Amino acid sequence: MMTRQGNRNGYYLLYLFMTGLFLGILLVNIRHDVWMKEDGLLNAAMIRQLRNSEFDGNYLFGCIVRSRISTILVIGMLASTMIGLPIVCGYVCYLGASAGCILSIAVIRYGVRGLFFMAAGIFPQGLLLIPGYFLLFQWGIDCNRSLYGRIDGLEGRYLVGRQFLMAKGVKLLGILFIILFGCVLESYVNPEVLQYVLKIF
């Protein structure tokens, strides 16, 4: 039963992300003139600055970890409230829309090179961050439904005990470690990959 519910939540998250992705692509194509200005996102000057930059892994790690940990804490706290479910769903849709916008701009500006740039931007940390965030959002939905869903006519929060809290806490801690390892790759490995790919620009 739990596996079936987890699969349902996973498909639900995927649908939300794909909906956001489609909306992001559509938005860029509808307002092409606004997004494709010379001083816009991923313009030639930005690419040139990235290509000539020297990245400090320690500084990057600090900035990235703060951002990722903040997201985990916010999702973790909001998941235990009644507004947790719409917040998680809205954030997943927002991530999809952001990805759709950036992907569209990269492809329109640079064609196939834009696809290589986008792939380099998420490799290799995406191998950990994508499943890590997927598990985080799935955790948030499952936690919210367990607390506020109805089981045998009772509100879920009346059936929550210490074992439930321990299980959710351990799972969240595991997700945290996955995302932290992803941050390490993003800070110390990804800049090298990105610099290599930027040579074709």
Side-chain angles (χ1 to χ4, degrees):
M1 184 66 180
M2 293 298 292
T3 302
R4 187 180 303 171
Q5 183 65 41
N7 290 337
R8 189 180 297 121
N9 290 342
Y11 287 126
Y12 186 53
L13 289 170
L14 183 60
Y15 293 148
L16 284 172
F17 182 83
M18 294 306 294
T19 299
L21 186 72
F22 173 76
L23 291 175
I25 293 172
L26 187 63
L27 180 62
V28 171
N29 283 277
I30 290 175
R31 298 304 306 273
H32 183 275
D33 56 326
V34 174
W35 290 93
M36 302 308 297
K37 291 181 179 179
E38 288 298 321
D39 58 347
L41 187 65
L42 298 181
N43 58 56
M46 183 181 296
I47 294 296
R48 187 166 52 251
Q49 183 177 5
L50 282 173
R51 188 172 59 231
N52 297 328
S53 296
E54 293 185 6
F55 296 97
D56 183 347
N58 293 330
Y59 176 78
L60 278 176
F61 182 73
C63 294
I64 291 169
V65 165
R66 281 194 296 270
S67 174
R68 307 292 186 204
I69 295 298
S70 298
T71 300
I72 294 173
L73 291 177
V74 170
I75 294 295
M77 288 187 293
L78 289 178
S80 63
T81 68
M82 294 193 70
I83 64 170
L85 186 60
I87 291 294
V88 171
C89 294
Y91 188 65
V92 171
C93 198
Y94 162 77
L95 289 178
S98 300
C101 287
I102 297 174
L103 180 62
S104 295
I105 293 171
V107 171
I108 292 172
R109 284 191 187 276
Y110 304 108
V112 176
R113 292 182 302 164
L115 290 175
F116 282 116
F117 174 77
M118 291 300 298
I122 63 171
F123 183 82
Q125 72 273 15
L127 298 175
L128 291 176
L129 292 181
I130 292 173
Y133 272 97
F134 180 82
L135 290 172
L136 174 65
F137 299 139
Q138 199 172 31
W139 177 92
I141 290 177
D142 182 60
C143 183
N144 187 268
R145 286 180 171 170
S146 297
L147 288 170
Y148 298 102
R150 299 187 70 84
I151 305 173
D152 297 330
L154 293 174
E155 293 291 341
R157 62 181 178 273
Y158 294 119
L159 303 175
V160 170
R162 183 176 179 181
Q163 186 177 1
F164 171 85
L165 296 175
M166 286 292 292
K168 291 299 178 186
V170 169
K171 189 171 182 180
L172 185 60
L173 190 61
I175 293 169
L176 174 63
F177 279 119
I178 292 173
I179 293 177
L180 282 177
F181 280 123
C183 292
V184 172
L185 295 177
E186 188 174 7
S187 303
Y188 298 101
V189 180
N190 176 253
E192 300 296 328
V193 175
L194 199 57
Q195 288 281 12
Y196 180 80
V197 173
L198 284 171
K199 292 178 181 179
I200 68 175
F201 285 81

